[in-house]
């Protein structure tokens, strides 16, 4: 096989083999860089169909072999979407699907319809970007089923490979039932996108894709906001339960203590109302200002014999607050102990992420910044 390629490009590791061809990770022996080499068994489409831009891996070279054609593509650290293996939540899958629709929009503007959008034709970079590999050949079977392709990719990255070609209605139902909340909104939104694709796919294709992008974004934001509100509610509930447990005691004792406290407060209020005459607000203000000036003078007099330079850093430090420690990657319990030791109040939200379940993957303020003791630090915990 190496004899069929130009001496400059050498295939090293096979990444994929299918009907469309063979994908290898290789190297450029002249420029000493990694590349992707795509071997196509048949003559490819004309070169004017090739996509160039943000949505596709850039084609560096093209040549012929004894069996067909080879394309040399830029290598961006990452892997095939089919090899990622991560099962995402519905919110995460919808966020990634926005890139799928963006690829279709760019393909529509550059080379028309018929782009093959599958997990074996998409490259997932280390930064989370999705790029199409084979952007030159046309798939006639994909025309008219672009939104269905997007739904199948969402299903794939959520549940993995399914050895059956599921009907679109079943895919939509499984995506809706995967949502932890009420599936009605998800089901209604996905069905609306599918109906819109059927009506506008023929004569208003680009308009249909743009509307689908907006609808997926709206559904993504809805799920994100709902999960954030649910996480905050769960945190508030847990805090209330902890306070109840800490102050737990027999009901009768608490009732007697409460009655005694209320009686004492009523008696004290009566004594104050009886014994204290009404004092004008202006007189109270003058007395308060006098006390402040008096206390300030005493403080200046008492501190005149000390080294003011030695006191300044401590005062600045106290005014600036407490330095925030780094709790990223810790469990919630570990982070709580560290923040309690530093005297920092905190609250946390539960949110889906690629981090280990139960660990802190984001904090605000960041480590090294300072926070007042009266303010609360925010933590995001993976669920």
């Amino acid at each position: 096989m190496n004899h069929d390629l130009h001496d400059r490009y050498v295939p090293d590791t096979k990444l994929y083999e299918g009907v469309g061809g063979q994908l290898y990770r290789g190297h450029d022996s002249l420029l000493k860089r990694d590349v992707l080499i795509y071997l196509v068994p048949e003559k490819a489409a004309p070169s004017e169909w090739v996509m160039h831009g943000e949505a596709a891996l850039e084609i560096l070279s093209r040549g012929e072999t004894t069996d067909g054609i080879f394309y040399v593509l830029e290598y961006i650290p990452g892997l095939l979407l089919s090899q990622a293996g991560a099962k995402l939540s519905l919110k995460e899958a919808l966020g990634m699907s926005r890139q799928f629709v963006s690829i279709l929009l760019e393909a529509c503007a550059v080379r028309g319809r018929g782009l093959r959008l599958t997990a074996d034709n998409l490259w997932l970079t280390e930064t989370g970007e999705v790029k199409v590999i084979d952007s030159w050949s046309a798939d006639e079977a994909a025309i008219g089923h672009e939104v269905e392709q997007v739904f199948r990719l969402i299903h794939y990255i959520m549940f993995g490979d399914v050895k059956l070609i599921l009907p679109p209605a079943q895919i939509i139902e499984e995506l809706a039932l995967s949502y932890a909340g009420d599936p009605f909104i998800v089901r209604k939104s996905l069905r609306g996108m599918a109906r819109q694709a059927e009506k506008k796919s023929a004569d208003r294709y680009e308009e249909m894709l743009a509307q689908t992008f907006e609808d997926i974004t709206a559904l993504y934001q809805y799920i994100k906001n709902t999960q954030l509100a649910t996480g905050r509610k769960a945190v508030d509930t847990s805090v209330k339960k902890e306070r109840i447990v800490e102050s737990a005691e027999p009901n009768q004792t608490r009732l007697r203590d409460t009655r005694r406290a209320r009686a004492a407060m009523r008696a004290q209020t009566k004594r104050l109302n009886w014994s204290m005459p009404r004092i004008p607000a202006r007189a109270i203000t003058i007395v308060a200002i006098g006390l402040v000036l008096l206390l300030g003078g005493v403080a200046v007099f008492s501190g005149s014999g000390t080294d003011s330079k030695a006191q300044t850093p401590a005062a600045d430090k106290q005014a600036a607050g407490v330095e925030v420690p780094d709790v990223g990657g810790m469990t919630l319990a570990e982070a709580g102990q560290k923040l309690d030791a530093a005297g920092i109040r905190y609250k946390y939200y539960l949110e889906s992420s690629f981090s280990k379940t139960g660990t802190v993957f984001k904090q605000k303020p960041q480590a090294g910044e300072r926070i007042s003791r009266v303010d609360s630090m925010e933590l995001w915990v993976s669920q």
Side-chain angles (χ1 to χ4, degrees):
M1 178 182 60
N2 292 345
H3 300 292
D4 297 337
L5 295 179
H6 193 278
D7 294 338
R8 176 177 173 179
Y9 303 108
V10 181
D12 295 325
T13 305
K14 182 187 289 186
L15 301 179
Y16 165 76
E17 180 174 7
V19 178
Q22 301 173 358
L23 180 68
Y24 288 83
R25 177 176 175 178
H27 66 275
D28 183 342
S29 59
L30 181 61
L31 297 180
K32 307 299 182 183
R33 60 180 176 178
D34 291 332
V35 294
L36 291 177
I37 301 174
Y38 202 100
L39 300 179
V40 182
E42 299 175 357
K43 297 294 182 181
S47 59
E48 60 265 22
W49 282 57
V50 174
M51 288 174 58
H52 297 280
E54 296 294 329
L57 293 175
E58 195 67 26
I59 297 178
L60 305 177
S61 182
R62 177 177 179 271
E64 295 185 359
T65 67
T66 56
D67 299 327
I69 294 177
F70 71 89
Y71 290 85
V72 180
L73 309 173
E74 65 172 331
Y75 175 78
I76 301 176
L79 72 170
L80 284 169
L81 185 62
S82 60
Q83 298 174 345
K87 294 185 179 180
L88 305 183
S89 66
L90 179 60
K91 184 196 75 173
E92 295 163 342
L94 287 172
M96 184 176 289
S97 68
R98 296 169 72 247
Q99 298 188 59
F100 304 153
V101 182
S102 297
I103 291 174
L104 291 173
L105 279 168
E106 185 169 332
C108 175
V110 174
R111 47 146 294 170
R113 302 176 63 175
L115 179 65
R116 186 170 60 91
L117 209 61
T118 64
D120 294 320
N121 195 35
L122 294 174
W123 186 259
L124 179 63
T125 69
E126 290 183 351
T127 58
E129 291 183 291
V130 180
K131 294 182 178 292
V132 65
I133 300 172
D134 176 2
S135 63
W136 53 86
S137 60
D139 184 5
E140 298 295 332
I143 298 177
H145 302 281
E146 290 83 0
V147 173
E148 180 184 331
Q149 285 188 90
V150 173
F151 288 173
R152 291 189 183 279
L153 281 172
I154 296 174
H155 189 276
Y156 176 83
I157 59 182
M158 288 182 61
F159 303 106
D161 190 18
V162 178
K163 301 301 181 181
L164 292 173
I165 301 179
L166 300 177
Q170 184 175 344
I171 292 177
I172 292 175
E173 186 64 19
E174 291 188 6
L175 295 180
L177 293 177
S178 69
Y179 179 50
D182 187 357
F184 173 76
I185 299 295
V186 178
R187 184 186 297 112
K188 183 178 180 181
S189 299
L190 296 179
R191 286 178 177 175
M193 296 179 210
R195 286 194 297 268
Q196 178 181 248
E198 292 178 0
K199 294 179 181 179
K200 299 182 179 181
S201 179
D203 53 348
R204 292 185 289 173
Y205 174 69
E206 191 171 358
E207 177 187 336
M208 179 272 294
L209 287 181
Q211 185 60 49
T212 301
F213 182 86
E214 294 181 4
D215 293 341
I216 289 179
T217 302
L219 183 58
Y220 168 82
Q221 291 294 342
Y222 166 76
I223 294 177
K224 181 179 179 181
N225 295 336
T226 304
Q227 288 183 347
L228 185 60
T230 304
R232 287 176 176 171
K233 183 177 180 181
V235 171
D236 294 341
T237 304
S238 63
V239 171
K240 291 179 181 179
K241 288 182 179 179
E242 289 177 1
R243 291 176 179 173
I244 292 174
V245 171
E246 290 175 357
S247 61
E249 56 185 28
N251 294 333
Q252 294 181 354
T253 304
R254 287 205 304 271
L255 182 60
R256 288 197 298 270
D257 291 345
T258 303
R259 288 175 178 175
R260 292 173 183 173
R262 290 178 179 174
M265 290 176 64
R266 285 196 296 269
Q268 185 177 4
T269 303
K270 289 180 180 179
R271 288 197 298 271
L272 290 174
N273 293 337
W274 175 262
S275 60
M276 293 182 60
R278 290 184 174 274
I279 301 175
R282 185 175 180 181
I284 294 176
T285 304
I286 294 173
V287 173
I289 294 174
L291 288 175
V292 171
L293 295 175
L294 179 61
L295 292 175
V298 172
V300 171
F301 179 77
S302 62
S304 61
T306 60
D307 188 1
S308 60
K309 294 182 179 180
Q311 293 180 353
T312 301
D316 292 342
K317 185 175 181 181
Q318 183 176 3
V322 184
E323 183 175 350
V324 175
D326 185 8
V327 297
M330 297 183 180
T331 64
L332 181 59
E334 293 170 346
Q337 292 177 358
K338 192 166 185 177
L339 295 176
D340 289 341
I344 299 176
R345 303 170 61 185
Y346 68 94
K347 55 186 177 180
Y348 66 92
Y349 312 119
L350 300 177
E351 188 169 342
S352 299
S353 74
F354 288 101
S355 302
K356 184 179 179 181
T357 303
T359 59
V360 178
F361 66 91
K362 181 180 175 183
Q363 68 178 69
K364 184 178 180 183
Q366 301 295 329
E369 298 181 9
R370 308 193 76 85
I371 185 174
S372 172
R373 292 185 183 275
V374 299
D375 294 330
S376 296
M377 182 176 174
E378 294 180 305
L379 305 178
W380 281 262
V381 181
S382 178
Q383 69 172 0

